[in-house]
Amino acid sequence: MPLRGSVPVKLYKKEETEVLRVGALTIRVYEDGSLTQDRVSGVLLEVPAGKSGPPMHWHRFHDELFFMTKGALTFVTPEGEVVAKTGDLMTVPPGAVHTFKNASETEDAACYMTATPGHYVDYFRMLAKAMDEGQDLSPSNVQHLMALFGTFPPNVESEP
């Protein structure tokens, strides 16, 4: 059997993460897909009390997993609302219409989110950069950025 070359592992420390600000959300990028050949990325989403995530949307190409590490998030779908609490995992497959919000008035929430493929982190980077530069983030401009990553509002058909 041939010898296998060395494959490095990497420890990410919170204080060394790339920090993105997207509206009220703080996104800490741990793995952006660069070590996983873009198969998966991992970020920590910090959602302050009373704040909401993105507009309702669905993804054509990627899966998301949300593992709750603090507080609770309410995931909103066309079928209703589901509350994920610390220790719970929400799975969002391609095609599932969703968004999330922190319904608590007093407690911040956080979840570790993975996305496949990993390059989806670049959507967060582009959105944070546009906000930092004071660009117009009208709904149509946000939808354009989302579409670059196969992400669409609920009224867009799932098949081309």
Side-chain angles (χ1 to χ4, degrees):
M1 177 186 295
L3 292 178
R4 182 172 172 82
S6 176
V7 177
V9 297
K10 182 172 182 179
L11 173 66
Y12 293 91
K13 295 187 179 250
K14 184 177 181 179
E15 60 273 7
E16 297 170 0
T17 58
E18 174 185 2
V19 178
L20 305 172
R21 306 266 190 244
V22 177
L25 277 63
T26 299
I27 302 170
R28 296 180 180 278
V29 179
Y30 283 83
E31 171 57 50
D32 65 1
S34 60
L35 194 64
T36 65
Q37 297 176 351
D38 259 341
R39 286 186 301 271
V40 65
S41 61
V43 301
L44 184 70
L45 300 176
E46 298 172 344
V47 186
K51 300 300 180 181
S52 295
M56 194 78 101
H57 64 282
W58 61 273
H59 308 284
R60 178 166 286 155
F61 305 112
H62 74 272
D63 306 274
E64 292 177 324
L65 299 177
F66 298 85
F67 181 76
M68 295 302 304
T69 60
K70 177 182 178 185
L73 287 177
T74 301
F75 286 82
V76 182
T77 73
E79 292 76 34
E81 296 186 354
V82 177
V83 177
K85 299 177 182 176
T86 302
D88 293 344
L89 176 75
M90 175 62 74
T91 299
V92 180
V97 176
H98 66 288
T99 189
F100 58 85
K101 63 184 177 183
N102 183 347
S104 173
E105 298 279 329
T106 58
E107 186 178 8
D108 293 344
C111 65
Y112 185 76
M113 185 197 99
T114 64
T116 63
H119 66 262
Y120 192 72
V121 167
D122 290 336
Y123 164 70
F124 297 133
R125 288 177 172 144
M126 289 176 72
L127 196 55
K129 181 180 178 190
M131 290 182 143
D132 287 346
E133 294 175 352
Q135 293 180 23
D136 173 31
L137 288 175
S138 65
S140 63
N141 287 344
V142 171
Q143 284 182 14
H144 171 74
L145 281 178
M146 292 171 84
L148 294 174
F149 293 89
T151 301
F152 304 97
N155 63 340
V156 172
E157 293 183 24
S158 62
E159 298 300 323

